[in-house]
Amino acid sequence: MKETFDITGMTCAACSARVQKAAGEVSGVSEANVNLLKNSMELVYDGNPQTVEAVCAAIDKAGYGARPRTKAAAASSDTGTFDATQLAINEKRRQLIVSAILSVPLFYIAMGPMFGWPELPILAGMEGMMANALTQLLLCFPILFVNRHYFISGFKTLLHGSPNMDSLIAIGSAASAAYSIVGTYRIALAMGVSDFETAHEALHGLYFDSAGMILTLITLGKYFEARAKGRTTSAITALMDLAPKTATVVRDGAEVVVPSEDVQVGERVIVRAGESIPVDGVVLEGSALVDESAITGESVPVEKTVGDRVTGATVSNSGWFAMEARAVGDDTTLAGIIRLVDEATGSKAPIQRQADAIAGVFVPVVLGVAAFTFVLWMVLAKDFSVALTHAISVLVISCPCALGLATPTAIMVGTGRGAANGILIKDAEALETACKLNTVVLDKTGTVTEGSPRVTDVLLASGITDVELLFDAAAMERKSEHPLAHAICAYVDEQAPGIDAGAQVTAFGQIAGGGLVAYVDGKKVLAGNAGLMTKHGVDISELSQQAEALADEARTPLYFARSGKLLGVFGVADALKPTSTDAIARLRDMGIRTVMLTGDQERTAQVIAAACGVDEVVAGVLPAQKEEKVRQLQQAGECVAMVGDGINDAPALARADVGIAIGAGTDVAISSADIVLMHSDPRDVATAIELSQATMRTIRQNLFWALFYNAICIPVAMGLLSPFGITLNPMIGAAAMGFSSVFVVSNALRLRTWKPSE
């Protein structure tokens, strides 16, 4: 069973690592994935309510809070996430304003004499030393108070044995403040005995400015970080904004306007020109031109008439129609898209495990390094002030946040950018794997071709009338969901509407890779390829040459036989998609080999392959053989993507390293895939791979920066370069720490400008 939890108290990667570890150690839990950006956790467990209670208790013991997200909360989880983000921004802004107002005079008073700035007479000279110290204390205390959450969280997690970034800040700032308070007492005692030299020395040893500025600069960085985090969710916000807020429904014979979420399945909904369609449904009356670009990406409006399906969040440009609501609330297409994007942003890429492993031990290691630095400088310099300065610098410059944000920020922006381009990525692992692909396997019908074939030729066997052929063909094919069956039924309806009315079809069966078999009015009828006919002893020699000629022109020949005798052949053509050739060319330019799989016969497949330029063709395959072909490629060391749209593609989609489903395909194919192409455009296969490459490039840049920053800055903060005259003030360290996270998030936000190549 899978359940979502809201987590409170997390501030950095060490927090999320600790929460994930605490939850994962509970008996009955199979998997726990914590998302620092969304303050949530996806838990896979045995379904026992006691396991949930144990998980909450374990996380509480670790110093954090956890509660299962209720169904109602889950339905509005996205809105809640965005509200929480805005609240965090507002809170950081308030803290920053108060801290900055007090930090400016504090810094001026403390550092002014060093820079030769004019001093206030009341705080200058020997007589003003005590007043100077008290003024710094009074300015520093409100800064400590307004930023008290660092101390509450930091010392709480420290006491629970799971220190986080707040622990580093709290220890560094508290040590500075405590040392300064002791120094203030030293000044007071020295002034009491007129020991001005000791008082002056103590005044220069005050660190109130460091304590206050550390918190101010970190809060400044956290404010920018919170703003940047908010922008990473803009893609989901944009999707949510597509949903109309109200709907016009017919109740008790009158039109009433109700909130969209109150629309019930089966209700009659009225849509006028310029309005957004509130839910998914079917047109009952009227017609309109509907702009479906929000869902399909197609800019040209589509005419909708009686019987046509319409999708929520699309817009009626003109006309009027009444529709029956078929899918509402969480069951609409838009809700499904939002859910997929949201789940993807909450998932973890394999590369993040490396960062999580480092983050899990990062803070304890930094605490140890700071303690070692303090002891080292006490031994070398025998100066408490110098030792404390270096130790505090180590604490405040270390940044586990950059490690924790490196991957999820890029994943969130990357998946959001994919959604904006009609590419729905179900999880982060698929996004990471896609950049490693070197072979793309494509189904033919509906993927490379339009998937809406039409009858081009009809060949009759000797002694057979067109009525006989059309009767049996219609009776048989109406039982099938195959695109070729739809083409034949459409042709029969044009030529002889209702010809098969009253036909009794029994023992209907589908033969994978062969065709259909059934009894029509008590007579055995076969429909399918030449292999099926030969297997059942039907002589097809009379029309075989003509059928082969059709195949040479990329027209699929479908044989029909009754009671062992050939009736005729339908030639069915499925046109190549206009973008297929360009899609294959883009993949080739990326160094990716293409393979086309089809259950169609060899000749037809070869003609299609030659037209679009695929590297390899495998024709006449059964559904199981598609999966087998994918497995063979994987065993040969290839990283394989499977692109398909039908039920028969589902096993291969599930087997592939990355399954890519055409958005217009079946629900089974879409559910089996890792990536869904909403535009049903084969060019989006290359686009998805390009997006994966761009996202992974950003993640690697972020991880490099996070590791490089800490690897360089911590030794400098320790004072290892002091012999060369290079030292680091704690205030500079605090600023660097705050903005290292901002750099990582800002780098991820560059993905918002990403565009696919043409």
Side-chain angles (χ1 to χ4, degrees), residues 38-192:
K38 297 163 66 178
N39 291 312
S40 65
M41 176 178 69
E42 296 293 334
L43 191 76
V44 180
Y45 68 108
D46 56 12
N48 189 335
Q50 293 182 346
T51 303
V52 173
E53 295 177 5
V55 167
C56 293
I59 293 175
D60 182 69
K61 185 178 180 181
Y64 305 90
R67 62 181 179 85
R69 185 176 292 170
T70 62
K71 187 173 182 181
S76 59
S77 61
D78 298 311
T79 303
T81 298
F82 305 134
D83 289 345
T85 300
Q86 189 58 50
L87 286 174
I89 294 173
N90 295 339
E91 177 66 15
K92 291 301 177 188
R93 183 188 294 116
R94 183 186 66 81
Q95 294 171 7
L96 178 61
I97 291 172
V98 174
S99 300
I101 290 173
L102 296 170
S103 293
V104 170
L106 175 59
F107 184 81
Y108 186 94
I109 293 169
M111 303 299 292
M114 182 182 300
F115 294 107
W117 296 339
E119 296 182 71
L120 293 175
I122 193 175
L123 305 179
M126 296 295 181
E127 299 82 1
M129 284 191 292
M130 192 62 212
N132 189 312
L134 288 174
T135 302
Q136 290 189 48
L137 173 60
L138 291 175
L139 288 171
C140 181
F141 183 77
I143 299 175
L144 300 179
F145 178 78
V146 78
N147 292 288
R148 61 190 178 279
H149 68 280
Y150 291 119
F151 301 97
I152 296 172
S153 171
F155 288 120
K156 180 181 178 182
T157 54
L158 189 63
L159 290 173
H160 281 86
S162 55
N164 59 8
M165 185 202 68
D166 287 349
S167 302
L168 303 180
I169 298 169
I171 293 172
S173 184
S176 297
Y179 182 71
S180 300
I181 291 173
V182 172
T184 301
Y185 274 96
R186 286 183 61 202
I187 294 172
L189 293 173
M191 293 291 288

Side-chain angles (χ1 to χ4, degrees), residues 664-680:
T666 64
D667 290 341
V668 175
I670 291 174
S671 64
S672 300
D674 304 302
I675 297 175
V676 180
L677 308 181
M678 293 301 295
H679 298 174
S680 299

Side-chain angles (χ1 to χ4, degrees), residues 432-456:
E432 178 176 340
T433 305
C435 72
K436 306 172 186 176
L437 294 172
N438 48 33
T439 301
V440 171
V441 178
L442 305 106
D443 175 53
K444 180 179 76 70
T445 305
T447 302
V448 177
T449 62
E450 292 286 0
S452 53
R454 59 186 179 84
V455 174
T456 58

Side-chain angles (χ1 to χ4, degrees), residues 322-348:
M323 58 175 283
E324 179 187 346
R326 294 284 180 88
V328 301
D330 290 343
D331 296 327
T332 63
T333 300
L334 178 64
I337 292 173
I338 293 173
R339 189 162 49 249
L340 280 176
V341 175
D342 188 46
E343 289 175 357
T345 61
S347 62
K348 287 190 176 183

Side-chain angles (χ1 to χ4, degrees), residues 377-454:
W377 281 102
M378 283 297 293
V379 173
L380 295 178
K382 296 181 174 58
D383 187 324
F384 185 86
S385 177
V386 172
L388 182 64
T389 298
H390 285 297
I392 292 174
S393 294
V394 170
L395 291 172
V396 299
I397 203 170
S398 304
C399 186
C401 279
L403 274 172
L405 294 171
T407 300
T409 50
I411 293 294
M412 182 166 281
V413 179
T415 52
R417 193 61 190 151
N421 283 272
I423 300 170
L424 300 184
I425 300 165
K426 291 187 178 181
D427 59 63
E429 185 170 356
L431 186 62
E432 178 176 340
T433 305
C435 72
K436 306 172 186 176
L437 294 172
N438 48 33
T439 301
V440 171
V441 178
L442 305 106
D443 175 53
K444 180 179 76 70
T445 305
T447 302
V448 177
T449 62
E450 292 286 0
S452 53
R454 59 186 179 84

Side-chain angles (χ1 to χ4, degrees), residues 165 169 218 396-399 709 732-741:
M165 185 202 68
I169 298 169
I218 287 174
V396 299
I397 203 170
S398 304
C399 186
Y709 163 84
I732 302 298
M737 190 275 274
F739 282 93
S740 64
S741 296

Side-chain angles (χ1 to χ4, degrees), residues 459 540-552 557 559 566 569 601 603:
L459 307 176
I540 61 172
S541 59
E542 179 185 350
L543 299 177
S544 60
Q545 288 187 349
Q546 292 172 273
E548 289 175 4
L550 292 176
D552 290 339
Y559 294 84
L566 182 66
V569 177
Q601 63 176 343
R603 287 186 177 178

